[in-house]
Amino acid sequence: MNDIWFRQNKVNILKYLPYFLFKDKEYKNTGDACSKEHERIRLLIKDCLNQFFVETATWGLDLWEQFLGLPIDKNTDYKTRRAKILSRMNNRQNVTLSFVNYLINLFVADKTGYAVEYPEKYLLEIMLPDNRVTDFKALEDILDIYIPAHIGWKYISYVQPGTGEETEIDGIKTTANPIYIGGAMTSYFYTEIPADTIYEISDMEGVQCNVIGVIKTADIINIPADYTI
């Protein structure tokens, strides 16, 4: 939505009047009160205007979903609800590879998902960056609606750390890197104590586990799909 025509800055009606009027306390207080009310109305108008466009709608998403026959789920975030609405509004679009890419990226946070077609196999490979899909169920529902019934598809997840060799497929740039997985290897001890033996734990204090090699250690961190790094 382009609202450049709409007032963007905070309302101050006194700036349109001669400066010497500000010196009068009562006049200035009256002007400030009027400016505050005008600003409140400006924000209300701007908020209502936002509801006319899916990309900026918030509380108006309920009306869009009702109009399109979609379930109203206020527990879902705005981005996912907008994506579902936009995908439903494109029901007259020809299903080309570019359009499929558009549908996929409605539910991919960084817009790097894409499809690879194999016409001779009647197959689409849906390439999805790992941990970047915002709603798998919504994505599958949309693909069910738009992809012809005789075309099958499968998901392929790939890791895109952001460095490495860059490639471009159907206008979408992606990068690929090898994944290195390591671990810590340690020695261990085994002590057999006969059932009829009297012993104390202190007798084992001198025994310890020694690390004999470390390749790589790491923690698992879950980053939400729409989180900006």
Side-chain angles (χ1 to χ4, degrees):
M1 178 187 69
N2 186 351
D3 62 350
I4 191 172
W5 54 270
F6 191 75
R7 176 191 288 272
Q8 302 296 318
N9 56 311
K10 188 175 180 179
V11 176
N12 179 12
I13 63 175
L14 293 178
K15 74 176 185 178
Y16 301 104
L17 300 173
Y19 179 75
F20 70 88
L21 294 175
F22 301 175
K23 297 180 180 181
D24 184 273
K25 185 177 181 180
E26 292 184 2
Y27 194 94
K28 185 178 186 304
N29 289 339
T30 302
D32 289 341
C34 291
S35 294
K36 185 176 181 180
E37 180 63 14
H38 277 279
E39 175 65 10
R40 186 184 70 85
I41 295 173
R42 182 186 76 87
L43 294 177
L44 285 175
I45 294 174
K46 184 175 178 62
D47 185 44
C48 289
L49 180 63
N50 286 339
Q51 311 315 310
F52 285 94
F53 301 89
V54 179
E55 294 84 351
T56 54
T58 52
W59 53 265
L61 291 175
D62 294 7
L63 300 175
W64 283 100
E65 290 166 338
Q66 183 180 10
F67 173 72
L68 295 170
L70 293 170
I72 298 175
D73 184 6
K74 295 187 178 181
N75 295 323
T76 304
D77 62 274
Y78 290 148
K79 288 184 179 180
T80 302
R81 293 175 69 186
R82 289 167 183 158
K84 291 179 181 179
I85 292 170
L86 289 171
S87 60
R88 181 61 64 88
M89 291 173 65
N90 283 284
N91 61 353
R92 296 184 182 275
Q93 173 73 37
N94 292 329
V95 183
T96 62
L97 187 61
S98 296
F99 180 64
V100 173
N101 288 338
Y102 164 78
L103 293 178
I104 293 170
N105 285 310
L106 286 174
F107 303 99
V108 176
D110 58 2
K111 310 300 181 187
T112 56
Y114 60 95
V116 180
E117 61 178 347
Y118 299 92
E120 70 283 358
K121 298 180 180 180
Y122 300 98
L123 172 67
L124 283 176
E125 289 183 346
I126 310 299
M127 309 296 294
L128 301 173
D130 186 46
N131 204 34
R132 282 289 181 264
V133 178
T134 57
D135 192 328
F136 263 107
K137 179 64 169 59
L139 172 59
E140 187 164 348
D141 289 344
I142 292 304
L143 294 179
D144 272 332
I145 292 174
Y146 289 102
I147 294 181
H150 68 285
I151 301 295
W153 78 82
K154 63 180 179 180
Y155 298 127
I156 297 180
S157 179
Y158 68 93
V159 177
Q160 185 179 10
T163 59
E165 183 179 354
E166 185 178 86
T167 58
E168 182 172 334
I169 299 178
D170 196 31
I172 299 176
K173 293 183 178 180
T174 62
T175 57
N177 284 62
I179 304 173
Y180 297 96
I181 301 176
M185 297 181 295
T186 64
S187 61
Y188 72 96
F189 62 87
Y190 176 81
T191 303
E192 181 177 352
I193 302 175
D196 57 351
T197 300
I198 299 176
Y199 72 96
E200 295 181 0
I201 297 296
S202 59
D203 296 334
M204 303 175 62
E205 289 179 353
V207 182
Q208 63 180 4
C209 182
N210 298 315
V211 177
I212 62 174
V214 176
I215 301 174
K216 183 71 174 179
T217 59
D219 295 324
I220 296 176
I221 302 175
N222 182 34
I223 301 175
D226 57 353
Y227 182 78
T228 302
I229 301 177

